[in-house]
Amino acid sequence: MFSVSTMTPVSDPSSFSSLSKCATKHLNLIYHVDFDRHVLKGKVALTVEVLEDKFSSLVQFSFGSSKLSFCLLDLITTPHIHTYVGQHVIVEIEYETSPSATALQWLTPTQTAGKKHPYLFSQCQATHCRTMIPCQDSPSVKHTYYAQVSVPRELVALMSALHDGQEPDPSDSSRVIYRFRQPVPMPSYLIAIVVGALESREIGPRSRVWSEKEYVDEAAFEFSETESMLKTAESLAGPYVWGQYDVLVLPPSFPYGGMENPCLTFVTPTVLAGDRSLAGVIAHEISHSWTGNLVTNRTWEGIFWLNEGHTVYIERMIARCMASEQLRQFKGIGGWKELQESVKQFGANNVLTNLVPNLHEVDTDEAFSSVPYEKGFALLYHLEELLGGPEVFMGFVKSYIQLFAYGTVTTEEWKNYLFTYFKDKMDILNKVDWNAWMHTPGMAPVKPQYDTTMADACTALCQRWVKAKEEDLASFTEADVKKLNSPQLIEFMALLLQEEPLPLSHVKKMQEVYQLNSVKNAEVRFRWLRICVKAHWEEAVPLALKMATEQGRMKFTRPLFKEVYNFSKYSDEAVKTFKENRGALHPVTAMMVVKDLKING
């Protein structure tokens, strides 16, 4: 019989916290949102469980990091209190955040869709919550939280928690207080706040979509299948425990495709393609409700794949249930290409391409890539093939989730349970090259054999363009792409990007017959503009720089800037455009583009 052992103290190289002396059980937050000074003022009461007798100093709480010029809160001592293991202590800290806190992005009215009101949103993953709250900033510590947030009365506050009512601020009639409660324990990186001129539409019995009014109806259409996805995910992984599942469409500078904040998924407006083609973003964030939020990797070092690999696996199982096995296979092919691109970008010998990398001396933001997602998925899909197919392996995933629910897990614990669950197939599991999968850089050691039915049309069209001579260009017509759906069009573009740059004449012909400049789907547009710039089509440069700056999703912004920078005639233009627009980008995005464009300072 497999049993989950009591969590042993861990070392977390991405955290400033000492995790062996105490563990946070609950946070009670009181915030006053100050848009004039770009700070959150307030206090936090931390309910802390003592893990060590005679513990008297909260040195393990940190607020920010030394390199960001924040002070470590190492002066909070309780010399006259004799604590003992198991005791709960409440510590109250009054503070305000720095205007440069990396968890928070403050937008001016001109940076919003409505242009009238300011906007605030947070992004705490992986280690930025410590710039917003004095906290134990490791995913190994899970806690509940309550909050009350005072904001200007014309604005709305939301958090990664259940809405618990609102009332006029008794100390200021121009403000309103919103109350929240999160009764399910979760790590600090999932605490989230947003304040803006927000509206909502109901999209299901437990779901609303929120955004500025300019996006809200389009978003309601885009995410109308949310309840179907939730029910499908529950049938695969077990009950949804978070109560509400709302979706927030953020302003364009949000750096990620989505963020799985409990009760309130954050998504980029770049998913609003008008054809429901990017529902995979929501399927992914819904899946995190089980893998990541309910069962959490204990540290970021080496086990981020437990969050992301399993989430991609469930996301693609949702696609299988709601569409077809062929679509799941097709998504697997696309994922393998994304993994190839990440390995090429990092270098095949870079430890950041390990499934289990060492993050000592590495910024977790710099380690972010498709590797934990797609190498993790490739391992799970490989195990599925070895152990009896999707139904059999999904049975294991569901059992794993229910066993480790509300807690945290390491790769070793996951592997031990895999061997226990499939105890009658130990001979198969013992033949897996675990070291090659987990601790060796580069591509996954086994390439999955996917069904290529949906991919074949993309490959054929790509090869026609690659092999076409000048005299063949007349043979291309609009009908070539009319028979491709959005995911296939994206795959066609991705295949072209893996080839040598097309001649400029070919790219101009492609625009003439397919009219790709007018496609609104961001996934298609981003790849198309990269193809154009690679072919040195000068007319595409301003379009690429426009897309790089009118939204700030790192997946799009970084490669577009790099592509223009690598077109030597326009390297200076790329740097100049970035510098002019840096203030509108999220701090993490700006930091990464600085490195991409080799800018000093």
Side-chain angles (χ1 to χ4, degrees):
M1 182 70 187
F2 187 90
S3 65
V4 182
S5 59
T6 303
M7 192 190 88
T8 51
V10 291
S11 165
D12 186 342
S14 302
S15 169
F16 287 104
S17 301
S18 160
L19 304 167
S20 61
K21 295 182 180 181
C22 71
T24 307
K25 293 298 175 185
H26 180 75
L27 296 180
N28 201 351
L29 286 163
I30 297 175
Y31 274 146
H32 177 99
V33 180
D34 187 337
F35 276 103
D36 292 331
R37 296 177 54 233
H38 288 185
V39 299
L40 300 179
K41 292 187 293 189
K43 59 187 174 185
V44 59
L46 304 118
T47 303
V48 179
E49 181 181 353
V50 177
L51 302 178
E52 191 179 88
D53 282 334
K54 295 182 180 176
F55 159 66
S56 64
S57 177
L58 292 181
V59 294
Q60 63 276 30
F61 287 95
S62 65
F63 190 29
S65 67
S66 52
K67 70 180 180 183
L68 294 173
S69 304
F70 288 115
C71 298
L72 293 182
L73 293 170
D74 57 2
L75 302 176
I76 304 165
T77 59
T78 53
H80 306 301
I81 298 174
H82 298 290
T83 58
Y84 52 87
V85 172
Q87 182 180 355
H88 282 200
V89 177
I90 296 178
V91 179
E92 196 169 278
I93 303 167
E94 283 196 44
Y95 69 96
E96 67 176 41
T97 59
S98 162
S100 59
T102 54
L104 302 171
Q105 187 168 19
W106 302 86
L107 303 180
T108 62
T110 56
Q111 290 174 295
T112 68
K115 311 294 183 193
K116 288 182 182 171
H117 300 287
Y119 196 109
L120 164 69
F121 71 85
S122 66
Q123 173 56 35
C124 287
Q125 192 181 15
T127 59
H128 298 282
C129 190
R130 61 191 179 217
T131 71
M132 188 169 92
I133 303 168
C135 64
Q136 286 183 292
D137 57 337
S138 168
S140 64
V141 178
K142 297 179 90 167
H143 48 70
T144 54
Y145 81 88
Y146 295 164
Q148 61 183 63
V149 183
S150 171
V151 301
R153 112 181 131 192
E154 63 273 15
L155 303 181
V156 173
L158 300 172
M159 291 192 77
S160 53
L162 301 170
H163 183 237
D164 211 17
Q166 63 200 69
E167 63 201 11
D169 188 332
S171 64
D172 186 341
S173 61
S174 71
R175 301 177 71 87
V176 63
I177 289 174
Y178 286 85
R179 291 195 305 273
F180 304 94
R181 62 186 167 88
Q182 180 50 269
V184 181
M186 48 171 249
S188 61
Y189 77 84
L190 291 175
I191 296 174
I193 185 171
V194 60
V195 181
L198 299 169
E199 291 189 7
S200 71
R201 300 283 186 272
E202 189 175 287
I203 52 171
R206 48 187 161 173
S207 299
R208 302 190 75 83
V209 66
W210 295 84
S211 78
E212 294 179 80
K213 68 180 179 184
E214 289 77 8
Y215 294 138
V216 73
D217 290 321
E218 189 181 355
F221 169 80
E222 192 76 43
F223 305 130
S224 60
E225 294 184 343
T226 296
E227 179 62 21
S228 298
M229 285 188 190
L230 274 169
K231 283 181 174 168
T232 303
E234 286 184 304
S235 72
L236 292 166
Y240 178 77
V241 304
W242 304 91
Q244 191 74 4
Y245 183 84
D246 287 0
V247 178
L248 169 74
V249 180
L250 283 136
S253 60
F254 184 60
Y256 301 104
M259 179 62 209
E260 64 273 16
N261 300 311
C263 305
L264 185 69
T265 281
F266 283 19
V267 294
T268 166
T270 64
V271 302
L272 300 178
D275 59 4
R276 289 200 187 95
S277 64
L278 297 172
V281 172
I282 293 298
H284 183 86
E285 305 310 334
I286 281 175
S287 302
H288 266 305
S289 304
W290 288 267
T291 46
N293 298 6
L294 190 59
V295 180
T296 308
N297 48 221
R298 195 161 301 159
T299 71
W300 298 114
E301 182 177 45
I303 48 182
F304 186 33
W305 84 273
L306 289 169
N307 275 17
E308 296 300 350
H310 287 81
T311 297
V312 173
Y313 186 82
I314 297 173
E315 168 204 338
R316 290 179 182 158
M317 286 297 287
I318 292 173
R320 178 180 193 264
C321 295
M322 293 184 69
S324 66
E325 173 63 13
Q326 279 190 354
L327 179 60
R328 183 175 83 115
Q329 298 277 321
F330 181 69
K331 284 177 176 285
I333 292 170
W336 185 263
K337 285 195 180 57
E338 285 194 25
L339 179 59
Q340 286 176 315
E341 193 151 308
S342 283
V343 169
K344 183 180 173 185
Q345 180 187 336
F346 280 124
N349 296 318
N350 192 318
V351 292
L352 292 180
T353 64
N354 285 15
L355 195 56
V356 182
N358 181 324
L359 293 187
H360 285 273
E361 306 298 320
V362 175
D363 188 321
T364 46
D365 293 317
E366 293 181 44
F368 184 86
S369 76
S370 66
V371 172
Y373 297 75
E374 297 300 346
K375 205 172 192 178
F377 173 79
L379 170 59
L380 298 176
Y381 184 82
H382 177 58
L383 292 171
E384 172 197 298
E385 287 188 303
L386 294 177
L387 296 166
E391 287 86 358
V392 171
F393 195 71
M394 193 64 219
F396 159 73
V397 173
K398 183 175 185 176
S399 178
Y400 154 78
I401 290 166
Q402 299 310 311
L403 182 67
F404 289 98
Y406 304 100
T408 62
V409 66
T410 65
T411 296
E412 201 56 38
E413 289 167 342
W414 169 86
K415 187 178 165 191
N416 287 343
Y417 185 57
L418 178 75
F419 274 71
T420 302
Y421 186 90
F422 289 108
K423 56 183 179 292
D424 56 338
K425 296 177 178 175
M426 296 270 273
D427 54 331
I428 295 172
L429 288 171
N430 282 324
K431 287 178 185 165
V432 174
D433 189 342
W434 294 102
N435 186 61
W437 276 102
M438 300 286 184
H439 305 291
T440 306
M443 291 299 291
V446 178
K447 181 179 181 181
Q449 295 305 302
Y450 293 118
D451 179 332
T452 62
T453 305
M454 283 183 70
D456 287 341
C458 314
T459 306
L461 185 57
C462 172
Q463 287 306 308
R464 268 185 68 200
W465 279 99
V466 168
K467 291 173 179 168
K469 304 277 192 294
E470 294 291 329
E471 59 269 24
D472 302 325
L473 294 181
S475 69
F476 293 100
T477 68
E478 187 184 11
D480 302 336
V481 292
K482 284 294 181 202
K483 49 194 177 217
L484 303 182
N485 59 27
S486 288
Q488 287 177 306
L489 188 54
I490 292 166
E491 174 65 6
F492 163 60
M493 297 284 170
L495 287 167
L496 282 175
L497 280 169
Q498 289 195 317
E499 301 284 346
E500 290 298 311
L502 287 172
L504 182 54
S505 55
H506 287 48
V507 176
K508 287 184 174 179
K509 182 67 176 179
M510 198 179 290
Q511 163 58 19
E512 183 189 319
V513 291
Y514 300 160
Q515 294 296 306
L516 292 165
N517 280 347
S518 59
V519 173
K520 288 189 169 60
N521 184 310
E523 295 279 354
V524 175
R525 184 167 181 76
F526 143 74
R527 289 173 175 84
W528 164 239
L529 290 173
R530 285 185 64 196
I531 288 166
C532 293
V533 175
K534 272 183 185 291
H536 289 179
W537 191 2
E538 297 191 33
E539 286 177 31
V541 169
L543 297 176
L545 291 174
K546 184 171 186 283
M547 186 175 184
T549 53
E550 69 186 3
Q551 56 74 51
R553 186 177 174 186
M554 281 199 282
K555 177 182 179 179
F556 301 148
T557 291
R558 291 183 64 194
L560 286 166
F561 267 124
K562 276 197 283 192
E563 215 68 80
V564 176
Y565 182 80
N566 290 338
F567 187 173
S568 56
K569 184 175 177 180
Y570 289 95
S571 297
D572 291 345
E573 184 69 19
V575 172
K576 177 171 170 278
T577 303
F578 166 69
K579 286 181 175 177
E580 287 171 354
N581 291 274
R582 182 174 186 166
L585 295 173
H586 189 274
V588 173
T589 311
M591 174 192 76
M592 298 308 293
V593 176
V594 162
K595 294 187 177 185
D596 294 336
L597 305 188
K598 302 174 177 62
I599 298 169
N600 294 321

